[in-house]
Amino acid sequence: MINAEQYLPARVAAAKAGIDALGAGAVLISKPENVTYLSGIRSSNCYLILTPEEGYILTDFRYIEVAENNRAGLTPVQLEQGKSVFDVVGSMNIPVLAVEEEAITYGFFKELGSKHQGQICSASHLVEDLRIVKDEYEKECLRKAEEIGDLAFTHICGILKEGMTEKEIALELEFFMRKSGAEGLSFETIAVSGVRSSMPHGEPSDKRIEPGDFLTMDYGCKYRGYCSDMTRTVAIGKVSEEMKRIYDIVRRAQQTALEAVSPGKKASDIDRTARDIIKYEGYGKHFGHGTGHGVGLEIHEAPTANPTGNTVLKPGMAVTVEPGIYLPGKFGVRIEDLALVTETGYEVLSHSEKDLIII
Ligand SMILES: [Mn+2]
């Protein structure tokens, strides 16, 4: 497996190169995923201060050893007890400091303002704009995370049986993914069956699966910090004609939209491809969410593939394709794959069966 370390200095250099355009002399990186992206360090209390020339990594005693060993070329600064990141920033006399406005709280902003004498401006999406295109290391992590998801699907299909509860199914998926090398979950597992499957993000309950149910499982794990995300809907025992028909529409919408993923397309084009098929079949109002989203260190990141998603797809972007149809009081169906945009089209990272499985 490739190592992340060789990519870190280039990522830091790219972030530094964007500071001038913000109208700032330095940027304070506080969003944990952005800190990880640039430094390789995962920590709950770690900040980066970058200027066009310098880079500092600020953390406390608990993480100082990893900070000292960082391979990103950042200078470690230990935050002594009683001393905060705001004290350090205050002592640096930065005329204009850019902050990650969507990642900080009002309390953070107030404290920063009490110590920092200069102006504050927005870092906009300085690091997110870099993260949107994945490098080879990140692609490998995403492939590996999705592979664990695929293995979990095979595993669950082998043990699903009438009478299992949604909670038991979710737990089996989670336990299996952890045993298969995942560090944790990328989000709370969704396992909903029967009438409950019409809730796109329903929580697993004590409901037992029974013949005639659809069971939708939407789950993901983290591998080296990178998230996987996939959804499959399977049938238990038997299916009605209506269930078969709806499944087929979603299956077709998902496959067609997936095949539409290619560089130069807008994210909204992917959404429209899926939505047009579902609308044409008369279920437009039962598909009330976007078709997909980017995935990386965060489970939901850019690009957003909904009707207004105006990001132009580029090679290296990762995007889910996950249309669904939800009929309240009856059932719901969603199918989701994660795809990487390539030079010529797409590479699908989830390989689990998508034709209707009846267990
Ligand atoms: Mn998703």
Side-chain angles (χ1 to χ4, degrees):
M1 174 129 193
I2 335 170
N3 210 305
E5 291 177 352
Q6 61 182 296
Y7 293 95
L8 299 176
R11 293 177 188 172
V12 171
K16 284 177 173 175
I19 295 173
D20 255 359
L22 301 172
V27 59
L28 172 59
I29 309 287
S30 57
K31 185 171 173 174
E33 292 85 359
N34 290 346
V35 169
T36 300
Y37 181 75
L38 296 174
S39 71
I41 294 171
R42 281 191 265 171
S43 154
S44 58
N45 188 35
C46 201
Y47 305 87
L48 308 183
I49 297 174
L50 304 180
T51 71
E53 293 84 28
E54 307 290 328
Y56 302 93
I57 180 162
L58 284 57
T59 191
D60 65 55
F61 176 79
R62 296 170 298 169
Y63 303 104
I64 194 65
E65 201 173 326
V66 281
E68 281 166 355
N69 292 328
N70 85 81
R71 298 299 181 87
L74 299 162
T75 306
V77 177
Q78 183 169 346
L79 297 169
E80 302 298 342
Q81 290 196 55
K83 212 174 166 203
S84 71
V85 59
F86 309 111
D87 294 309
V88 176
V89 171
S91 70
M92 288 178 76
N93 294 317
I94 302 160
V96 184
L97 175 70
V99 297
E100 301 186 294
E101 61 178 330
E102 279 148 9
I104 64 173
T105 63
Y106 182 54
F108 183 102
F109 182 74
K110 273 205 302 191
E111 269 214 66
L112 179 64
S114 74
K115 298 278 164 73
H116 167 66
Q117 299 305 311
Q119 292 178 43
I120 294 175
C121 73
S122 171
S124 197
H125 297 104
L126 177 68
V127 184
E128 283 83 356
D129 287 349
L130 302 175
R131 282 173 45 198
I132 193 170
V133 171
K134 273 67 186 172
D135 59 37
E136 292 308 313
Y137 169 75
E138 297 184 286
K139 289 178 195 169
E140 276 210 28
C141 291
L142 288 171
R143 283 188 194 106
K144 180 70 187 164
E146 284 291 317
E147 186 190 319
I148 294 172
D150 278 334
L151 291 170
F153 183 70
T154 304
H155 168 74
I156 202 74
C157 287
I159 61 165
L160 275 178
K161 58 175 191 292
E162 224 185 292
M164 272 175 91
T165 69
E166 294 168 355
K167 279 183 184 167
E168 285 164 357
I169 293 162
L171 181 62
E172 272 295 338
L173 285 168
E174 293 168 9
F175 190 66
F176 183 90
M177 290 191 288
R178 288 295 295 267
K179 276 199 299 186
S180 305
E183 304 135 14
L185 304 177
S186 39
F187 57 93
E188 292 291 319
T189 302
I190 295 164
V192 284
S193 63
V195 291
R196 305 188 76 260
S197 61
S198 69
M199 298 184 283
H201 275 192
E203 258 180 78
S205 74
D206 292 318
K207 180 193 169 299
R208 294 178 188 280
I209 55 171
E210 53 190 330
D213 277 357
F214 262 146
L215 165 66
T216 296
M217 295 170 286
D218 183 350
Y219 58 95
C221 67
K222 279 191 179 179
Y223 181 79
R224 295 194 176 189
Y226 286 82
C227 297
S228 74
D229 192 4
M230 65 178 278
T231 307
R232 290 294 184 270
T233 298
V234 300
I236 310 302
K238 56 180 183 184
V239 279
S240 66
E241 280 310 307
E242 187 184 28
M243 287 166 76
K244 240 194 255 176
R245 190 161 49 79
I246 299 291
Y247 189 92
D248 177 63
I249 298 165
V250 175
R251 171 80 172 90
R252 203 149 37 82
Q254 199 273 341
Q255 189 62 35
T256 311
L258 179 66
E259 287 169 12
V261 173
S262 61
K265 288 262 182 71
K266 274 167 98 180
S268 57
D269 296 336
I270 310 307
D271 182 84
R272 189 167 7 87
T273 304
R275 203 166 298 280
D276 281 354
I277 292 172
I278 291 174
K279 262 190 200 162
Y280 176 81
E281 298 290 344
Y283 293 96
K285 73 174 165 88
H286 297 287
F287 174 29
H289 58 76
T291 297
H293 54 89
V295 174
L297 288 167
E298 289 175 275
I299 184 60
H300 293 125
E301 52 181 61
T304 301
N306 66 16
T308 58
N310 53 18
T311 307
V312 176
L313 299 182
K314 281 192 204 144
M317 289 186 180
V319 66
T320 69
V321 180
E322 50 177 311
I325 294 176
Y326 311 91
L327 306 177
K330 288 185 173 177
F331 58 81
V333 173
R334 178 168 66 260
I335 303 170
E336 173 182 28
D337 284 323
L338 177 61
L340 274 176
V341 183
T342 64
E343 295 292 335
T344 52
Y346 69 97
E347 171 192 347
V348 64
L349 303 188
S350 29
H351 302 286
S352 294
E353 181 61 54
K354 290 191 282 191
D355 285 341
L356 181 58
I357 297 174
I358 303 174
I359 289 164

Short mmCIF file of all heavy atoms in Angstrom, two decimals, residues 125-181:
data_model
loop_
_atom_site.label_atom_id
_atom_site.label_comp_id
_atom_site.label_asym_id
_atom_site.label_seq_id
_atom_site.Cartn_x
_atom_site.Cartn_y
_atom_site.Cartn_z
N HIS A 125 -13.01 27.82 1.17
CA HIS A 125 -12.87 26.35 1.20
C HIS A 125 -11.46 25.97 0.78
O HIS A 125 -11.26 25.05 0.00
CB HIS A 125 -13.92 25.70 0.30
CG HIS A 125 -15.32 25.95 0.77
ND1 HIS A 125 -16.15 26.85 0.17
CD2 HIS A 125 -16.00 25.45 1.82
CE1 HIS A 125 -17.30 26.89 0.83
NE2 HIS A 125 -17.24 26.05 1.83
N LEU A 126 -10.51 26.70 1.33
CA LEU A 126 -9.10 26.51 0.93
C LEU A 126 -8.69 25.04 0.90
O LEU A 126 -8.21 24.54 -0.12
CB LEU A 126 -8.20 27.30 1.91
CG LEU A 126 -6.69 27.18 1.68
CD1 LEU A 126 -6.27 27.86 0.38
CD2 LEU A 126 -5.92 27.79 2.86
N VAL A 127 -8.90 24.32 2.01
CA VAL A 127 -8.43 22.93 2.07
C VAL A 127 -9.45 21.99 1.42
O VAL A 127 -9.08 21.03 0.75
CB VAL A 127 -8.12 22.52 3.53
CG1 VAL A 127 -7.54 21.11 3.57
CG2 VAL A 127 -7.13 23.51 4.16
N GLU A 128 -10.74 22.28 1.59
CA GLU A 128 -11.77 21.44 0.96
C GLU A 128 -11.60 21.41 -0.56
O GLU A 128 -11.83 20.38 -1.19
CB GLU A 128 -13.18 21.95 1.31
CG GLU A 128 -13.64 21.59 2.70
CD GLU A 128 -13.14 22.55 3.77
OE1 GLU A 128 -12.34 23.46 3.43
OE2 GLU A 128 -13.53 22.39 4.93
N ASP A 129 -11.20 22.56 -1.12
CA ASP A 129 -11.02 22.61 -2.57
C ASP A 129 -9.85 21.72 -3.02
O ASP A 129 -9.84 21.25 -4.16
CB ASP A 129 -10.77 24.06 -3.04
CG ASP A 129 -12.06 24.89 -3.00
OD1 ASP A 129 -13.14 24.30 -2.81
OD2 ASP A 129 -11.97 26.13 -3.13
N LEU A 130 -8.89 21.52 -2.13
CA LEU A 130 -7.79 20.59 -2.45
C LEU A 130 -8.27 19.15 -2.27
O LEU A 130 -7.95 18.27 -3.07
CB LEU A 130 -6.58 20.84 -1.54
CG LEU A 130 -5.97 22.24 -1.55
CD1 LEU A 130 -4.88 22.35 -0.49
CD2 LEU A 130 -5.41 22.55 -2.92
N ARG A 131 -9.03 18.93 -1.21
CA ARG A 131 -9.46 17.57 -0.86
C ARG A 131 -10.43 16.97 -1.88
O ARG A 131 -10.60 15.76 -1.92
CB ARG A 131 -10.13 17.57 0.53
CG ARG A 131 -9.11 17.63 1.67
CD ARG A 131 -9.79 17.81 3.01
NE ARG A 131 -10.94 16.93 3.15
CZ ARG A 131 -11.91 17.10 4.04
NH1 ARG A 131 -11.86 18.10 4.88
NH2 ARG A 131 -12.91 16.27 4.09
N ILE A 132 -11.07 17.81 -2.67
CA ILE A 132 -12.10 17.32 -3.59
C ILE A 132 -11.51 16.37 -4.64
O ILE A 132 -12.17 15.44 -5.09
CB ILE A 132 -12.88 18.50 -4.22
CG1 ILE A 132 -14.15 18.00 -4.91
CG2 ILE A 132 -12.02 19.29 -5.17
CD1 ILE A 132 -15.09 19.13 -5.34
N VAL A 133 -10.23 16.60 -5.00
CA VAL A 133 -9.57 15.68 -5.94
C VAL A 133 -8.63 14.78 -5.15
O VAL A 133 -7.73 15.26 -4.47
CB VAL A 133 -8.80 16.46 -7.03
CG1 VAL A 133 -7.95 15.52 -7.87
CG2 VAL A 133 -9.78 17.23 -7.92
N LYS A 134 -8.89 13.49 -5.23
CA LYS A 134 -8.13 12.52 -4.43
C LYS A 134 -6.82 12.12 -5.11
O LYS A 134 -6.80 11.89 -6.33
CB LYS A 134 -8.97 11.26 -4.19
CG LYS A 134 -9.90 11.34 -2.97
CD LYS A 134 -11.00 12.34 -3.08
CE LYS A 134 -11.79 12.45 -1.78
NZ LYS A 134 -12.75 13.56 -1.84
N ASP A 135 -5.76 12.02 -4.29
CA ASP A 135 -4.50 11.52 -4.84
C ASP A 135 -4.49 10.00 -4.77
O ASP A 135 -5.44 9.38 -4.29
CB ASP A 135 -3.29 12.18 -4.14
CG ASP A 135 -3.27 11.94 -2.65
OD1 ASP A 135 -3.64 10.83 -2.21
OD2 ASP A 135 -2.88 12.87 -1.90
N GLU A 136 -3.40 9.40 -5.26
CA GLU A 136 -3.37 7.93 -5.37
C GLU A 136 -3.51 7.24 -4.01
O GLU A 136 -4.15 6.19 -3.91
CB GLU A 136 -2.08 7.47 -6.07
CG GLU A 136 -2.02 7.86 -7.55
CD GLU A 136 -3.26 7.45 -8.34
OE1 GLU A 136 -3.69 6.30 -8.20
OE2 GLU A 136 -3.79 8.30 -9.09
N TYR A 137 -2.93 7.83 -2.99
CA TYR A 137 -3.05 7.25 -1.65
C TYR A 137 -4.51 7.25 -1.20
O TYR A 137 -5.03 6.25 -0.71
CB TYR A 137 -2.19 8.03 -0.65
CG TYR A 137 -2.47 7.65 0.78
CD1 TYR A 137 -1.98 6.44 1.29
CD2 TYR A 137 -3.23 8.47 1.62
CE1 TYR A 137 -2.24 6.07 2.60
CE2 TYR A 137 -3.48 8.11 2.93
CZ TYR A 137 -2.99 6.91 3.41
OH TYR A 137 -3.26 6.55 4.70
N GLU A 138 -5.16 8.38 -1.41
CA GLU A 138 -6.56 8.48 -0.98
C GLU A 138 -7.46 7.52 -1.77
O GLU A 138 -8.37 6.93 -1.21
CB GLU A 138 -7.04 9.93 -1.18
CG GLU A 138 -6.28 10.91 -0.32
CD GLU A 138 -6.83 12.31 -0.47
OE1 GLU A 138 -6.57 12.93 -1.52
OE2 GLU A 138 -7.52 12.77 0.45
N LYS A 139 -7.17 7.38 -3.05
CA LYS A 139 -7.96 6.45 -3.87
C LYS A 139 -7.81 5.03 -3.33
O LYS A 139 -8.79 4.28 -3.25
CB LYS A 139 -7.50 6.49 -5.33
CG LYS A 139 -7.88 7.77 -6.05
CD LYS A 139 -7.34 7.71 -7.47
CE LYS A 139 -7.36 9.07 -8.14
NZ LYS A 139 -6.61 9.08 -9.39
N GLU A 140 -6.59 4.68 -2.94
CA GLU A 140 -6.38 3.33 -2.40
C GLU A 140 -7.15 3.13 -1.10
O GLU A 140 -7.71 2.06 -0.85
CB GLU A 140 -4.88 3.09 -2.16
CG GLU A 140 -4.17 2.64 -3.40
CD GLU A 140 -2.98 1.73 -3.07
OE1 GLU A 140 -3.00 1.05 -2.04
OE2 GLU A 140 -2.04 1.72 -3.88
N CYS A 141 -7.15 4.15 -0.26
CA CYS A 141 -7.89 4.05 1.01
C CYS A 141 -9.38 3.89 0.74
O CYS A 141 -10.05 3.08 1.40
CB CYS A 141 -7.64 5.29 1.87
SG CYS A 141 -5.97 5.40 2.50
N LEU A 142 -9.90 4.65 -0.21
CA LEU A 142 -11.33 4.55 -0.53
C LEU A 142 -11.65 3.16 -1.10
O LEU A 142 -12.66 2.56 -0.76
CB LEU A 142 -11.74 5.65 -1.52
CG LEU A 142 -11.79 7.07 -0.95
CD1 LEU A 142 -12.00 8.09 -2.06
CD2 LEU A 142 -12.89 7.21 0.10
N ARG A 143 -10.77 2.66 -1.97
CA ARG A 143 -11.00 1.32 -2.53
C ARG A 143 -11.04 0.28 -1.42
O ARG A 143 -11.89 -0.60 -1.40
CB ARG A 143 -9.87 0.95 -3.50
CG ARG A 143 -9.97 1.61 -4.85
CD ARG A 143 -8.93 1.05 -5.82
NE ARG A 143 -8.83 1.93 -6.98
CZ ARG A 143 -7.83 2.76 -7.21
NH1 ARG A 143 -6.79 2.81 -6.39
NH2 ARG A 143 -7.84 3.55 -8.26
N LYS A 144 -10.10 0.40 -0.49
CA LYS A 144 -10.01 -0.58 0.60
C LYS A 144 -11.25 -0.48 1.51
O LYS A 144 -11.81 -1.51 1.90
CB LYS A 144 -8.71 -0.31 1.39
CG LYS A 144 -8.48 -1.23 2.54
CD LYS A 144 -8.15 -2.66 2.11
CE LYS A 144 -8.09 -3.57 3.32
NZ LYS A 144 -8.15 -4.98 3.00
N ALA A 145 -11.67 0.74 1.81
CA ALA A 145 -12.84 0.92 2.67
C ALA A 145 -14.08 0.32 1.99
O ALA A 145 -14.88 -0.37 2.63
CB ALA A 145 -13.05 2.40 2.97
N GLU A 146 -14.21 0.55 0.69
CA GLU A 146 -15.37 0.01 -0.03
C GLU A 146 -15.30 -1.51 -0.13
O GLU A 146 -16.33 -2.19 -0.09
CB GLU A 146 -15.45 0.60 -1.45
CG GLU A 146 -15.97 2.02 -1.50
CD GLU A 146 -17.44 2.15 -1.14
OE1 GLU A 146 -18.28 1.35 -1.58
OE2 GLU A 146 -17.77 3.08 -0.38
N GLU A 147 -14.09 -2.02 -0.24
CA GLU A 147 -13.93 -3.47 -0.30
C GLU A 147 -14.43 -4.12 1.00
O GLU A 147 -15.09 -5.16 0.97
CB GLU A 147 -12.43 -3.78 -0.51
CG GLU A 147 -12.11 -5.24 -0.73
CD GLU A 147 -10.60 -5.48 -0.69
OE1 GLU A 147 -9.84 -4.66 -1.25
OE2 GLU A 147 -10.19 -6.48 -0.08
N ILE A 148 -14.15 -3.47 2.12
CA ILE A 148 -14.65 -3.98 3.40
C ILE A 148 -16.18 -3.95 3.40
O ILE A 148 -16.83 -4.88 3.87
CB ILE A 148 -14.05 -3.18 4.58
CG1 ILE A 148 -12.53 -3.40 4.66
CG2 ILE A 148 -14.71 -3.57 5.91
CD1 ILE A 148 -11.80 -2.50 5.66
N GLY A 149 -16.74 -2.89 2.83
CA GLY A 149 -18.20 -2.80 2.72
C GLY A 149 -18.78 -3.93 1.88
O GLY A 149 -19.81 -4.52 2.23
N ASP A 150 -18.12 -4.23 0.78
CA ASP A 150 -18.57 -5.34 -0.08
C ASP A 150 -18.50 -6.67 0.67
O ASP A 150 -19.43 -7.49 0.59
CB ASP A 150 -17.68 -5.45 -1.33
CG ASP A 150 -18.07 -4.46 -2.42
OD1 ASP A 150 -19.25 -4.06 -2.46
OD2 ASP A 150 -17.21 -4.11 -3.25
N LEU A 151 -17.41 -6.89 1.39
CA LEU A 151 -17.27 -8.13 2.15
C LEU A 151 -18.38 -8.24 3.20
O LEU A 151 -18.92 -9.32 3.44
CB LEU A 151 -15.90 -8.19 2.84
CG LEU A 151 -14.69 -8.35 1.91
CD1 LEU A 151 -13.39 -8.14 2.70
CD2 LEU A 151 -14.69 -9.73 1.25
N ALA A 152 -18.71 -7.10 3.80
CA ALA A 152 -19.76 -7.09 4.82
C ALA A 152 -21.11 -7.45 4.19
O ALA A 152 -21.94 -8.12 4.82
CB ALA A 152 -19.83 -5.72 5.50
N PHE A 153 -21.32 -7.00 2.96
CA PHE A 153 -22.60 -7.32 2.29
C PHE A 153 -22.70 -8.83 2.02
O PHE A 153 -23.73 -9.45 2.28
CB PHE A 153 -22.73 -6.53 0.98
CG PHE A 153 -24.06 -6.76 0.30
CD1 PHE A 153 -25.23 -6.26 0.85
CD2 PHE A 153 -24.13 -7.48 -0.89
CE1 PHE A 153 -26.46 -6.48 0.23
CE2 PHE A 153 -25.35 -7.70 -1.51
CZ PHE A 153 -26.52 -7.20 -0.95
N THR A 154 -21.61 -9.41 1.52
CA THR A 154 -21.60 -10.86 1.29
C THR A 154 -21.87 -11.59 2.61
O THR A 154 -22.66 -12.53 2.66
CB THR A 154 -20.23 -11.30 0.72
OG1 THR A 154 -19.98 -10.54 -0.45
CG2 THR A 154 -20.20 -12.78 0.41
N HIS A 155 -21.20 -11.13 3.65
CA HIS A 155 -21.37 -11.76 4.98
C HIS A 155 -22.82 -11.68 5.44
O HIS A 155 -23.40 -12.68 5.84
CB HIS A 155 -20.45 -11.06 5.98
CG HIS A 155 -20.72 -11.43 7.40
ND1 HIS A 155 -20.37 -12.66 7.94
CD2 HIS A 155 -21.35 -10.76 8.40
CE1 HIS A 155 -20.76 -12.71 9.20
NE2 HIS A 155 -21.36 -11.57 9.51
N ILE A 156 -23.41 -10.51 5.35
CA ILE A 156 -24.77 -10.34 5.89
C ILE A 156 -25.76 -11.16 5.06
O ILE A 156 -26.70 -11.75 5.61
CB ILE A 156 -25.16 -8.84 6.00
CG1 ILE A 156 -26.29 -8.65 7.03
CG2 ILE A 156 -25.57 -8.24 4.69
CD1 ILE A 156 -25.88 -8.78 8.45
N CYS A 157 -25.56 -11.21 3.74
CA CYS A 157 -26.49 -12.00 2.92
C CYS A 157 -26.42 -13.48 3.28
O CYS A 157 -27.40 -14.20 3.16
CB CYS A 157 -26.18 -11.81 1.43
SG CYS A 157 -26.69 -10.19 0.83
N GLY A 158 -25.27 -13.91 3.77
CA GLY A 158 -25.12 -15.31 4.16
C GLY A 158 -25.79 -15.65 5.48
O GLY A 158 -26.03 -16.83 5.76
N ILE A 159 -26.06 -14.66 6.30
CA ILE A 159 -26.63 -14.98 7.62
C ILE A 159 -28.03 -14.39 7.85
O ILE A 159 -28.66 -14.70 8.85
CB ILE A 159 -25.71 -14.52 8.78
CG1 ILE A 159 -25.51 -13.00 8.74
CG2 ILE A 159 -24.37 -15.25 8.74
CD1 ILE A 159 -24.92 -12.46 10.03
N LEU A 160 -28.50 -13.56 6.91
CA LEU A 160 -29.83 -12.98 7.09
C LEU A 160 -30.87 -14.08 7.15
O LEU A 160 -30.87 -14.99 6.32
CB LEU A 160 -30.18 -12.07 5.90
CG LEU A 160 -29.69 -10.62 5.93
CD1 LEU A 160 -30.12 -9.93 4.63
CD2 LEU A 160 -30.19 -9.87 7.14
N LYS A 161 -31.74 -14.00 8.14
CA LYS A 161 -32.89 -14.91 8.13
C LYS A 161 -34.07 -14.27 8.86
O LYS A 161 -33.89 -13.37 9.68
CB LYS A 161 -32.52 -16.27 8.73
CG LYS A 161 -32.00 -16.25 10.14
CD LYS A 161 -31.80 -17.68 10.62
CE LYS A 161 -31.54 -17.74 12.12
NZ LYS A 161 -30.26 -17.16 12.52
N GLU A 162 -35.23 -14.76 8.47
CA GLU A 162 -36.47 -14.31 9.08
C GLU A 162 -36.33 -14.25 10.60
O GLU A 162 -35.77 -15.18 11.19
CB GLU A 162 -37.51 -15.39 8.75
CG GLU A 162 -38.82 -14.91 8.29
CD GLU A 162 -39.75 -16.13 8.15
OE1 GLU A 162 -39.50 -16.95 7.24
OE2 GLU A 162 -40.69 -16.23 8.95
N GLY A 163 -36.85 -13.20 11.20
CA GLY A 163 -36.82 -13.13 12.66
C GLY A 163 -35.67 -12.30 13.22
O GLY A 163 -35.71 -11.89 14.38
N MET A 164 -34.64 -12.04 12.40
CA MET A 164 -33.56 -11.16 12.89
C MET A 164 -34.09 -9.75 13.01
O MET A 164 -34.89 -9.31 12.18
CB MET A 164 -32.38 -11.14 11.90
CG MET A 164 -31.36 -12.22 12.11
SD MET A 164 -30.12 -12.17 10.78
CE MET A 164 -28.88 -11.08 11.49
N THR A 165 -33.62 -9.02 14.01
CA THR A 165 -34.07 -7.62 14.13
C THR A 165 -33.14 -6.71 13.32
O THR A 165 -31.99 -7.07 13.02
CB THR A 165 -34.06 -7.13 15.59
OG1 THR A 165 -32.71 -7.02 16.04
CG2 THR A 165 -34.85 -8.06 16.50
N GLU A 166 -33.66 -5.53 13.02
CA GLU A 166 -32.86 -4.54 12.29
C GLU A 166 -31.59 -4.20 13.09
O GLU A 166 -30.51 -4.04 12.51
CB GLU A 166 -33.69 -3.27 12.05
CG GLU A 166 -34.87 -3.50 11.12
CD GLU A 166 -35.85 -2.32 11.11
OE1 GLU A 166 -35.68 -1.36 11.90
OE2 GLU A 166 -36.81 -2.38 10.33
N LYS A 167 -31.74 -4.11 14.41
CA LYS A 167 -30.57 -3.80 15.25
C LYS A 167 -29.52 -4.89 15.16
O LYS A 167 -28.32 -4.60 15.11
CB LYS A 167 -31.00 -3.64 16.71
CG LYS A 167 -31.59 -2.29 17.05
CD LYS A 167 -31.91 -2.24 18.54
CE LYS A 167 -32.61 -0.94 18.93
NZ LYS A 167 -33.17 -1.03 20.28
N GLU A 168 -29.97 -6.16 15.15
CA GLU A 168 -29.02 -7.27 15.04
C GLU A 168 -28.29 -7.23 13.70
O GLU A 168 -27.09 -7.51 13.62
CB GLU A 168 -29.75 -8.62 15.19
CG GLU A 168 -30.16 -8.94 16.61
CD GLU A 168 -31.20 -10.07 16.70
OE1 GLU A 168 -31.65 -10.58 15.65
OE2 GLU A 168 -31.57 -10.41 17.84
N ILE A 169 -29.02 -6.88 12.66
CA ILE A 169 -28.43 -6.80 11.31
C ILE A 169 -27.37 -5.70 11.28
O ILE A 169 -26.25 -5.91 10.79
CB ILE A 169 -29.54 -6.56 10.26
CG1 ILE A 169 -30.45 -7.79 10.18
CG2 ILE A 169 -28.93 -6.23 8.90
CD1 ILE A 169 -31.80 -7.53 9.52
N ALA A 170 -27.72 -4.54 11.85
CA ALA A 170 -26.76 -3.42 11.88
C ALA A 170 -25.51 -3.83 12.66
O ALA A 170 -24.38 -3.58 12.22
CB ALA A 170 -27.41 -2.19 12.52
N LEU A 171 -25.70 -4.49 13.79
CA LEU A 171 -24.58 -4.88 14.63
C LEU A 171 -23.68 -5.88 13.89
O LEU A 171 -22.45 -5.78 13.96
CB LEU A 171 -25.08 -5.48 15.95
CG LEU A 171 -23.98 -5.93 16.93
CD1 LEU A 171 -23.12 -4.75 17.36
CD2 LEU A 171 -24.59 -6.62 18.14
N GLU A 172 -24.28 -6.82 13.19
CA GLU A 172 -23.50 -7.81 12.42
C GLU A 172 -22.63 -7.11 11.38
O GLU A 172 -21.46 -7.46 11.20
CB GLU A 172 -24.44 -8.79 11.70
CG GLU A 172 -24.83 -10.00 12.50
CD GLU A 172 -23.66 -10.92 12.85
OE1 GLU A 172 -22.62 -10.88 12.16
OE2 GLU A 172 -23.79 -11.66 13.83
N LEU A 173 -23.22 -6.16 10.68
CA LEU A 173 -22.46 -5.41 9.67
C LEU A 173 -21.28 -4.69 10.32
O LEU A 173 -20.15 -4.74 9.83
CB LEU A 173 -23.36 -4.38 8.97
CG LEU A 173 -24.38 -4.91 7.96
CD1 LEU A 173 -25.38 -3.81 7.60
CD2 LEU A 173 -23.68 -5.41 6.70
N GLU A 174 -21.56 -4.06 11.45
CA GLU A 174 -20.54 -3.25 12.12
C GLU A 174 -19.42 -4.13 12.67
O GLU A 174 -18.23 -3.82 12.50
CB GLU A 174 -21.19 -2.44 13.25
CG GLU A 174 -22.15 -1.38 12.69
CD GLU A 174 -23.04 -0.75 13.74
OE1 GLU A 174 -22.83 -1.00 14.95
OE2 GLU A 174 -23.97 0.00 13.36
N PHE A 175 -19.79 -5.21 13.32
CA PHE A 175 -18.81 -6.12 13.91
C PHE A 175 -17.93 -6.72 12.81
O PHE A 175 -16.71 -6.77 12.94
CB PHE A 175 -19.55 -7.23 14.68
CG PHE A 175 -18.65 -8.08 15.52
CD1 PHE A 175 -17.98 -7.56 16.62
CD2 PHE A 175 -18.47 -9.44 15.22
CE1 PHE A 175 -17.16 -8.35 17.40
CE2 PHE A 175 -17.64 -10.23 16.00
CZ PHE A 175 -16.98 -9.69 17.09
N PHE A 176 -18.59 -7.10 11.71
CA PHE A 176 -17.84 -7.69 10.60
C PHE A 176 -16.84 -6.69 10.01
O PHE A 176 -15.69 -7.03 9.73
CB PHE A 176 -18.80 -8.19 9.51
CG PHE A 176 -18.08 -8.88 8.39
CD1 PHE A 176 -17.83 -10.24 8.43
CD2 PHE A 176 -17.60 -8.15 7.31
CE1 PHE A 176 -17.13 -10.87 7.41
CE2 PHE A 176 -16.89 -8.76 6.28
CZ PHE A 176 -16.67 -10.12 6.33
N MET A 177 -17.28 -5.44 9.83
CA MET A 177 -16.38 -4.44 9.24
C MET A 177 -15.18 -4.18 10.14
O MET A 177 -14.05 -4.08 9.66
CB MET A 177 -17.14 -3.15 8.92
CG MET A 177 -18.12 -3.32 7.76
SD MET A 177 -18.81 -1.76 7.14
CE MET A 177 -19.93 -1.29 8.45
N ARG A 178 -15.44 -4.11 11.44
CA ARG A 178 -14.33 -3.91 12.37
C ARG A 178 -13.36 -5.09 12.33
O ARG A 178 -12.15 -4.91 12.31
CB ARG A 178 -14.85 -3.71 13.81
CG ARG A 178 -15.54 -2.39 14.07
CD ARG A 178 -14.61 -1.19 13.94
NE ARG A 178 -13.56 -1.17 14.93
CZ ARG A 178 -13.63 -0.53 16.11
NH1 ARG A 178 -14.70 0.16 16.42
NH2 ARG A 178 -12.62 -0.57 16.96
N LYS A 179 -13.91 -6.28 12.29
CA LYS A 179 -13.04 -7.47 12.23
C LYS A 179 -12.25 -7.53 10.93
O LYS A 179 -11.20 -8.16 10.85
CB LYS A 179 -13.90 -8.75 12.35
CG LYS A 179 -14.21 -9.13 13.78
CD LYS A 179 -14.62 -10.59 13.89
CE LYS A 179 -15.86 -10.90 13.09
NZ LYS A 179 -16.33 -12.28 13.30
N SER A 180 -12.80 -6.88 9.89
CA SER A 180 -12.15 -6.93 8.57
C SER A 180 -11.17 -5.78 8.35
O SER A 180 -10.76 -5.53 7.21
CB SER A 180 -13.22 -6.90 7.48
OG SER A 180 -14.14 -7.95 7.69
N GLY A 181 -10.84 -5.06 9.39
CA GLY A 181 -9.80 -4.05 9.27
C GLY A 181 -10.26 -2.61 9.33
O GLY A 181 -9.44 -1.69 9.23
#
